[in-house]
Protein backbone atom coordinates (compact mmCIF):
# COMPACT_ATOMS: atom_id res chain seq x y z
CA UNK A 1 0.00 0.00 0.00
CA UNK A 2 2.80 2.37 0.91
CA UNK A 3 4.72 1.42 -2.20
CA UNK A 4 1.65 2.14 -4.30
CA UNK A 5 1.28 5.57 -2.75
CA UNK A 6 4.91 6.52 -3.33
CA UNK A 7 4.48 5.47 -6.94
CA UNK A 8 1.59 7.90 -7.16
CA UNK A 9 3.82 10.68 -5.82
CA UNK A 10 6.56 9.77 -8.27
CA UNK A 11 4.25 10.07 -11.28
CA UNK A 12 2.84 13.32 -9.91
CA UNK A 13 6.37 14.72 -9.83
CA UNK A 14 7.01 13.43 -13.32
CA UNK A 15 3.92 15.26 -14.61
CA UNK A 16 4.92 18.44 -12.75
CA UNK A 17 8.41 18.39 -14.28
CA UNK A 18 7.12 17.75 -17.80
CA UNK A 19 4.71 20.65 -17.64
CA UNK A 20 7.33 22.95 -16.10
CA UNK A 21 9.81 22.06 -18.85
CA UNK A 22 7.24 23.17 -21.44
CA UNK A 23 6.83 26.60 -19.87
CA UNK A 24 3.94 25.98 -17.46
CA UNK A 25 3.99 27.09 -13.84
CA UNK A 26 3.04 24.17 -11.60
CA UNK A 27 1.96 23.64 -7.98
CA UNK A 28 1.67 20.23 -6.39
CA UNK A 29 -0.71 19.96 -3.48
CA UNK A 30 0.33 18.66 -0.04
CA UNK A 31 0.42 14.89 0.45
CA UNK A 32 -2.98 13.21 0.63
CA UNK A 33 -2.70 12.58 4.36
CA UNK A 34 -2.24 16.25 5.16
CA UNK A 35 -4.93 17.16 2.68
CA UNK A 36 -7.74 15.08 4.09
CA UNK A 37 -7.64 16.91 7.42
CA UNK A 38 -8.15 20.34 5.92
CA UNK A 39 -9.47 21.78 2.70
CA UNK A 40 -9.71 19.87 -0.54
CA UNK A 41 -6.59 20.24 -2.65
CA UNK A 42 -6.18 18.69 -6.09
CA UNK A 43 -2.97 16.77 -6.80
CA UNK A 44 -1.58 19.37 -9.17
CA UNK A 45 -2.47 22.73 -10.68
CA UNK A 46 -0.70 24.06 -13.75
CA UNK A 47 -0.87 27.52 -15.31
CA UNK A 48 0.04 28.80 -18.70
CA UNK A 49 -0.13 32.53 -19.35
CA UNK A 50 -3.30 33.08 -17.39
CA UNK A 51 -5.01 29.75 -18.05
CA UNK A 52 -5.62 27.36 -15.15
CA UNK A 53 -5.50 23.56 -15.39
CA UNK A 54 -6.48 21.48 -12.37
CA UNK A 55 -5.37 17.83 -12.20
CA UNK A 56 -6.14 14.74 -10.20
CA UNK A 57 -3.35 12.27 -10.92
CA UNK A 58 -4.01 8.52 -11.11
CA UNK A 59 -1.66 5.61 -11.46
CA UNK A 60 -3.16 2.34 -12.63
CA UNK A 61 -2.01 -0.91 -14.15
CA UNK A 62 -5.39 -1.68 -15.69
CA UNK A 63 -5.15 -1.36 -19.40
CA UNK A 64 -8.48 -0.04 -20.61
CA UNK A 65 -10.27 1.91 -17.92
CA UNK A 66 -10.08 3.73 -14.61
CA UNK A 67 -12.53 3.81 -11.70
CA UNK A 68 -13.05 7.07 -9.84
CA UNK A 69 -15.05 8.06 -6.77
CA UNK A 70 -17.88 10.41 -7.66
CA UNK A 71 -17.23 12.25 -4.36
CA UNK A 72 -13.76 13.13 -5.61
CA UNK A 73 -15.16 14.27 -8.95
CA UNK A 74 -17.60 16.55 -7.15
CA UNK A 75 -14.80 18.15 -5.14
CA UNK A 76 -12.74 18.58 -8.27
CA UNK A 77 -15.74 20.16 -9.97
CA UNK A 78 -16.19 22.67 -7.17
CA UNK A 79 -12.50 23.55 -7.30
CA UNK A 80 -12.72 23.95 -11.07
CA UNK A 81 -15.75 26.24 -10.74
CA UNK A 82 -14.15 28.41 -8.08
CA UNK A 83 -10.89 28.68 -10.00
CA UNK A 84 -12.44 29.40 -13.38
CA UNK A 85 -10.10 26.87 -14.96
CA UNK A 86 -10.28 23.50 -16.68
CA UNK A 87 -10.05 20.18 -14.82
CA UNK A 88 -8.56 16.87 -15.88
CA UNK A 89 -7.96 13.37 -14.57
CA UNK A 90 -4.37 12.57 -15.60
CA UNK A 91 -3.87 8.79 -15.85
CA UNK A 92 -0.46 7.14 -15.94
CA UNK A 93 -0.03 3.49 -16.76
CA UNK A 94 3.26 1.58 -16.69
CA UNK A 95 4.98 1.74 -20.07
CA UNK A 96 2.31 3.95 -21.63
CA UNK A 97 1.74 7.63 -22.32
CA UNK A 98 -0.34 9.80 -20.03
CA UNK A 99 -4.05 9.98 -20.82
CA UNK A 100 -5.91 13.19 -19.90
CA UNK A 101 -9.65 13.02 -19.30
CA UNK A 102 -11.49 16.34 -19.26
CA UNK A 103 -13.82 16.51 -16.25
CA UNK A 104 -16.54 17.92 -18.52
CA UNK A 105 -16.51 14.66 -20.49
CA UNK A 106 -17.23 12.49 -17.45
CA UNK A 107 -20.91 11.62 -17.00
CA UNK A 108 -22.17 10.19 -13.75
CA UNK A 109 -25.36 10.20 -11.75
CA UNK A 110 -25.36 11.69 -8.28
CA UNK A 111 -26.45 8.51 -6.56
CA UNK A 112 -23.57 6.29 -7.68
CA UNK A 113 -20.42 6.01 -5.64
CA UNK A 114 -18.01 5.14 -8.43
CA UNK A 115 -17.72 5.79 -12.13
CA UNK A 116 -15.61 3.75 -14.56
CA UNK A 117 -14.18 5.50 -17.60
CA UNK A 118 -12.69 3.97 -20.72
CA UNK A 119 -9.29 5.44 -21.48
CA UNK A 120 -9.62 5.28 -25.23
CA UNK A 121 -10.80 8.42 -27.01
CA UNK A 122 -9.13 10.76 -24.53
CA UNK A 123 -6.19 13.01 -25.25
CA UNK A 124 -2.49 12.40 -24.59
CA UNK A 125 -0.31 14.73 -22.52
CA UNK A 126 1.64 15.66 -25.64
CA UNK A 127 -1.54 16.68 -27.45
CA UNK A 128 -2.66 18.71 -24.44
CA UNK A 129 0.67 20.56 -24.18
CA UNK A 130 0.85 21.24 -27.90
CA UNK A 131 -2.69 22.53 -27.99
CA UNK A 132 -2.25 24.86 -25.02
CA UNK A 133 1.12 26.22 -26.08
CA UNK A 134 0.25 26.45 -29.82
CA UNK A 135 -2.84 28.57 -29.24
CA UNK A 136 -0.49 31.17 -27.83
CA UNK A 137 1.75 30.82 -30.88
CA UNK A 138 -1.25 31.31 -33.18
CA UNK A 139 -2.27 34.46 -31.36
CA UNK A 140 1.28 35.71 -31.49
CA UNK A 141 1.46 35.19 -35.26
CA UNK A 142 -1.87 36.96 -35.70
CA UNK A 143 -0.66 39.90 -33.66
CA UNK A 144 2.46 40.20 -35.79
CA UNK A 145 0.46 40.35 -39.05
CA UNK B 1 13.52 26.55 14.83
CA UNK B 2 11.01 23.77 14.42
CA UNK B 3 8.43 25.68 16.40
CA UNK B 4 8.95 28.67 14.14
CA UNK B 5 8.44 26.55 11.05
CA UNK B 6 5.21 25.00 12.32
CA UNK B 7 3.96 28.51 13.06
CA UNK B 8 4.62 29.35 9.42
CA UNK B 9 2.55 26.37 8.33
CA UNK B 10 -0.24 27.35 10.71
CA UNK B 11 -0.52 30.86 9.26
CA UNK B 12 -0.36 29.43 5.73
CA UNK B 13 -3.38 27.26 6.56
CA UNK B 14 -5.15 30.23 8.10
CA UNK B 15 -4.67 32.23 4.90
CA UNK B 16 -5.81 29.27 2.77
CA UNK B 17 -9.01 28.87 4.83
CA UNK B 18 -9.81 32.59 4.74
CA UNK B 19 -9.49 32.75 0.98
CA UNK B 20 -11.49 29.54 0.52
CA UNK B 21 -14.27 30.86 2.75
CA UNK B 22 -14.54 33.91 0.47
CA UNK B 23 -15.03 31.81 -2.65
CA UNK B 24 -11.44 31.40 -3.85
CA UNK B 25 -9.95 28.06 -4.87
CA UNK B 26 -6.65 27.52 -3.06
CA UNK B 27 -3.64 25.21 -3.35
CA UNK B 28 -0.91 25.05 -0.75
CA UNK B 29 2.45 23.86 -1.96
CA UNK B 30 4.28 20.90 -0.43
CA UNK B 31 6.29 21.55 2.75
CA UNK B 32 9.48 23.55 2.22
CA UNK B 33 11.69 20.52 2.78
CA UNK B 34 10.08 18.55 -0.02
CA UNK B 35 10.04 21.62 -2.21
CA UNK B 36 13.73 22.41 -2.09
CA UNK B 37 14.64 19.08 -3.66
CA UNK B 38 12.53 19.57 -6.75
CA UNK B 39 10.94 22.44 -8.60
CA UNK B 40 10.20 25.80 -7.05
CA UNK B 41 6.74 25.92 -5.52
CA UNK B 42 5.27 29.03 -3.90
CA UNK B 43 3.63 28.64 -0.48
CA UNK B 44 0.12 29.14 -1.77
CA UNK B 45 -1.73 29.85 -5.00
CA UNK B 46 -5.30 31.14 -5.00
CA UNK B 47 -7.72 31.49 -7.90
CA UNK B 48 -10.86 33.45 -8.35
CA UNK B 49 -12.90 33.02 -11.51
CA UNK B 50 -9.92 32.75 -13.81
CA UNK B 51 -7.57 35.10 -11.97
CA UNK B 52 -4.36 33.70 -10.45
CA UNK B 53 -2.74 34.94 -7.23
CA UNK B 54 0.62 33.54 -6.16
CA UNK B 55 1.71 33.94 -2.53
CA UNK B 56 4.84 33.57 -0.47
CA UNK B 57 3.74 33.56 3.16
CA UNK B 58 5.87 35.14 5.90
CA UNK B 59 5.47 35.17 9.65
CA UNK B 60 7.40 37.82 11.53
CA UNK B 61 7.33 39.46 14.92
CA UNK B 62 9.11 42.61 13.70
CA UNK B 63 6.70 45.46 13.68
CA UNK B 64 7.61 47.64 10.73
CA UNK B 65 9.40 45.73 8.05
CA UNK B 66 10.26 42.37 6.54
CA UNK B 67 13.51 41.11 5.01
CA UNK B 68 13.36 38.85 1.97
CA UNK B 69 15.95 36.98 -0.07
CA UNK B 70 16.24 38.38 -3.57
CA UNK B 71 16.79 34.80 -4.83
CA UNK B 72 13.31 33.92 -3.57
CA UNK B 73 11.83 37.01 -5.19
CA UNK B 74 13.39 36.02 -8.51
CA UNK B 75 11.87 32.53 -8.31
CA UNK B 76 8.51 34.01 -7.42
CA UNK B 77 8.82 36.40 -10.35
CA UNK B 78 9.51 33.56 -12.78
CA UNK B 79 6.52 31.64 -11.44
CA UNK B 80 4.36 34.74 -11.78
CA UNK B 81 5.48 35.26 -15.36
CA UNK B 82 4.85 31.64 -16.37
CA UNK B 83 1.45 31.59 -14.69
CA UNK B 84 0.26 34.92 -16.02
CA UNK B 85 -0.99 35.82 -12.56
CA UNK B 86 -0.23 38.33 -9.82
CA UNK B 87 2.24 37.66 -7.01
CA UNK B 88 2.24 38.80 -3.40
CA UNK B 89 4.24 38.47 -0.21
CA UNK B 90 1.64 37.82 2.50
CA UNK B 91 2.96 38.92 5.89
CA UNK B 92 1.41 37.83 9.19
CA UNK B 93 2.41 39.40 12.48
CA UNK B 94 1.16 38.31 15.88
CA UNK B 95 -1.98 40.24 16.82
CA UNK B 96 -2.12 42.16 13.54
CA UNK B 97 -3.90 41.91 10.21
CA UNK B 98 -2.26 40.37 7.19
CA UNK B 99 -0.30 42.75 4.96
CA UNK B 100 -0.05 41.94 1.25
CA UNK B 101 2.89 43.28 -0.74
CA UNK B 102 2.55 43.16 -4.52
CA UNK B 103 5.74 41.74 -6.06
CA UNK B 104 5.62 44.50 -8.69
CA UNK B 105 6.06 47.07 -5.90
CA UNK B 106 9.30 45.55 -4.61
CA UNK B 107 12.43 47.22 -5.95
CA UNK B 108 15.82 45.55 -5.58
CA UNK B 109 19.08 45.43 -7.46
CA UNK B 110 20.30 42.12 -8.82
CA UNK B 111 23.54 42.16 -6.84
CA UNK B 112 22.03 42.34 -3.37
CA UNK B 113 21.20 39.22 -1.41
CA UNK B 114 18.42 40.64 0.74
CA UNK B 115 15.83 43.37 0.49
CA UNK B 116 14.02 44.97 3.43
CA UNK B 117 10.51 46.28 2.87
CA UNK B 118 8.47 48.59 5.07
CA UNK B 119 5.05 47.15 5.78
CA UNK B 120 3.22 50.45 5.84
CA UNK B 121 1.49 51.56 2.65
CA UNK B 122 0.68 48.02 1.57
CA UNK B 123 -2.82 46.55 1.37
CA UNK B 124 -4.64 44.43 3.94
CA UNK B 125 -6.06 40.98 3.20
CA UNK B 126 -9.57 42.35 3.62
CA UNK B 127 -8.97 45.04 1.02
CA UNK B 128 -7.46 42.46 -1.36
CA UNK B 129 -10.41 40.06 -0.99
CA UNK B 130 -13.02 42.79 -1.35
CA UNK B 131 -11.35 44.18 -4.44
CA UNK B 132 -11.00 40.81 -6.15
CA UNK B 133 -14.43 39.48 -5.30
CA UNK B 134 -16.10 42.42 -7.00
CA UNK B 135 -17.48 44.29 -4.07
CA UNK B 136 -17.69 47.78 -5.53
CA UNK B 137 -14.86 49.87 -4.18
CA UNK B 138 -17.40 52.56 -3.33
CA UNK B 139 -19.34 50.11 -1.19
CA UNK B 140 -16.17 49.08 0.61
CA UNK B 141 -15.25 52.66 1.44
CA UNK B 142 -18.81 53.26 2.65
CA UNK B 143 -18.60 50.22 4.90
CA UNK B 144 -15.41 51.51 6.48
CA UNK B 145 -16.86 54.93 7.25
Amino acid sequence: MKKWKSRGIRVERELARKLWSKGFAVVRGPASGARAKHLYYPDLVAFYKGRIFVFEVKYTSRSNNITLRTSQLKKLKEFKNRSGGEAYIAVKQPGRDWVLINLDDIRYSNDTKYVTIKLENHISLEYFINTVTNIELGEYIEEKN
Side-chain angles (χ1 to χ4, degrees), chain A:
Chain A
M1 191 63 192
K2 210 175 172 199
K3 197 176 171 188
W4 192 257
K5 196 170 178 177
S6 72
R7 207 174 292 174
I9 291 169
R10 187 167 53 74
V11 296
E12 241 178 78
R13 280 187 192 145
E14 183 197 310
L15 182 58
R17 282 204 209 94
K18 280 200 176 174
L19 291 168
W20 184 268
S21 74
K22 298 296 183 181
F24 288 73
V26 184
V27 195
R28 279 178 50 229
S32 301
R35 231 195 304 172
K37 280 192 285 178
H38 305 285
L39 302 173
Y40 164 74
Y41 295 115
D43 290 329
L44 195 147
V45 187
F47 319 93
Y48 192 85
K49 299 185 179 169
R51 289 177 72 188
I52 301 163
F53 306 97
V54 188
F55 295 96
E56 281 292 342
V57 178
K58 299 292 171 192
Y59 181 85
T60 180
S61 57
R62 289 199 207 179
S63 55
N64 299 318
N65 57 58
I66 184 135
T67 297
L68 303 164
R69 280 172 191 272
T70 53
S71 62
Q72 190 179 34
L73 296 176
K74 284 175 196 167
K75 285 176 186 168
L76 181 60
K77 174 120 178 138
E78 190 194 346
F79 195 98
K80 169 188 141 66
N81 289 346
R82 282 171 173 248
S83 70
E86 301 165 34
Y88 293 88
I89 310 293
V91 184
K92 180 68 180 127
Q93 296 179 288
R96 294 200 184 194
D97 282 344
W98 287 88
V99 172
L100 268 56
I101 306 165
N102 193 318
L103 182 64
D104 291 344
D105 295 336
I106 302 176
R107 300 276 165 264
Y108 58 91
S109 69
N110 273 326
D111 53 347
T112 52
K113 212 171 166 185
Y114 296 96
V115 57
T116 298
I117 304 154
K118 285 190 180 167
L119 295 180
E120 57 186 22
N121 302 330
H122 293 283
I123 63 173
S124 68
L125 180 60
E126 193 190 355
Y127 180 85
F128 169 82
I129 290 171
N130 286 342
T131 305
V132 171
T133 56
N134 278 345
I135 282 168
E136 292 297 325
L137 188 63
E139 275 170 20
Y140 174 75
I141 291 163
E142 245 169 55
E143 263 173 36
K144 295 288 270 191
N145 291 336

